[in-house]
Amino acid sequence: MTDHGAPKPGDLLALAVATARAAADLVRERAAGVVEVAATKSSATDVVTEADRDTEALIRRLISRERPEDGFFGEEGASDGESTTGTSGVRWIVDPIDGTVNFLYGLPSYAVSIAAEYDGEIVAGAVVDVPRGTLYAAFRQPDGSVAAVKDGEPVGVRPPADLSQRLVATGFSYDAGLRRIQGEALVRLLPVVRDVRRIGSAALDICGVAEGTLDGYLEEGVHLWDHAAACLVAEGSGARWEATTGAGGRRFVLVAPAHGYDSLRKAAVQAGFLPVDSLPGVVPG
């Protein structure tokens, strides 16, 4: 297959959605059986199941069948992810099961996440909340704006609220040293927000900001495959997001409604999630 000119984000989204739904069906099927750890990655608690591997293989197969000249960046391709370079300018960024520990324990918060990147920019993305079957989808329109939906209906962030009335989600690294930094920062953040949630899936946390069930999300130690699709959904919902370097030197992602973004970012700096002298800057994938 040879592509002529730039691909249409709507077409890429259609493929992302169809593939994510098929992948979610496989994950749901595996969840009904016995789920066992197949391997570990960065630590003994950073696990991979056979379902992760089989689901990523299915996603690769379905996408490659339609677009064999595209690149691929998936979590389970290698211990730190594997990126293949295609010739079309499109790269698919995939997390077959975001929230693997939840999946392993039978906790109903895990997702399939698929994003399409063209010429270095995320242009389409789909996230399926596997246990609920909810689909979040977004694509970049010709004017540069993003259209985002939840099960076909437009999504939008929560209305403005004082920082003390905001519900914020976060997560923790598998690295003990970084967990210590995160824990200490969390102690300082808790008194200035309504409360904090740790759901266990970055993609679902970010989609929660997009749909208005959360007021913000921040976490260090996430990867591009964790947030690529969900951040596009958030952008289309009226949220701002940033991927920069956190206090522990790893990728830090912050997502919040545009109207409350600056105040949450300031609180993140004051709490110690971000360096005091930090400036916005994207960390390459």
Side-chain angles (χ1 to χ4, degrees), residues 27-277:
V27 175
R28 205 172 292 116
E29 176 186 310
R30 294 300 179 84
V34 177
V35 179
E36 297 180 345
V37 174
T40 59
K41 296 186 286 187
S42 63
S43 75
T45 55
D46 185 6
V47 300
V48 179
T49 69
E50 286 298 335
D52 287 273
R53 293 174 171 173
D54 291 347
T55 303
E56 182 164 308
L58 172 66
I59 293 169
R60 285 174 179 257
R61 187 164 63 250
L62 293 177
I63 289 175
S64 296
R65 186 174 64 192
E66 300 298 322
R67 298 186 57 87
E69 295 180 4
D70 292 353
F72 198 92
F73 186 40
E75 179 175 11
E76 308 311 337
S79 60
D80 294 311
E82 177 185 48
S83 184
T84 59
T85 303
T87 59
S88 66
V90 173
R91 181 173 70 154
W92 295 88
I93 302 166
V94 171
D95 193 340
I97 305 178
D98 182 52
T100 296
V101 173
N102 286 348
F103 173 71
L104 177 65
Y105 275 73
L107 295 172
S109 295
Y110 46 92
V112 173
S113 176
I114 301 177
E117 176 189 74
Y118 178 67
D119 199 22
E121 179 179 52
I122 305 299
V123 297
V127 176
V128 176
D129 181 330
V130 177
R132 293 194 301 160
T134 303
L135 169 69
Y136 303 90
F139 74 99
R140 196 168 299 280
Q141 302 180 102
D143 63 359
S145 64
V146 176
V149 296
K150 171 188 174 182
D151 288 336
E153 297 295 327
V155 289
V157 297
R158 289 180 68 82
D162 185 79
L163 185 63
S164 66
Q165 298 301 305
R166 296 188 212 163
L167 184 63
V168 179
T170 192
F172 304 103
S173 171
Y174 293 109
D175 177 81
L178 182 51
R179 288 171 74 91
R180 186 172 297 108
I181 293 172
Q182 292 170 321
E184 292 170 353
L186 183 61
V187 168
R188 291 186 285 267
L189 180 68
L190 269 170
V192 301
V193 297
R194 178 190 290 274
D195 209 344
V196 172
R197 294 289 181 267
R198 197 277 199 263
I199 295 169
S201 165
L204 293 181
D205 285 340
I206 296 167
C207 288
V209 177
E211 69 181 358
T213 56
L214 292 168
D215 295 290
Y217 161 78
L218 48 79
E219 183 177 355
E220 182 173 358
V222 296
H223 299 276
L224 181 61
W225 52 71
D226 297 314
H227 69 83
C231 279
L232 191 69
V233 175
E235 184 178 340
S237 73
R240 284 176 58 191
W241 68 276
E242 175 185 351
T244 187
T245 302
R250 310 280 184 86
R251 176 189 290 264
F252 177 91
V253 174
L254 190 149
V255 184
H259 52 67
Y261 183 88
D262 290 337
S263 58
L264 182 59
R265 191 182 196 283
K266 181 178 179 181
V269 173
Q270 293 175 334
F273 285 99
L274 286 167
V276 174
D277 60 350

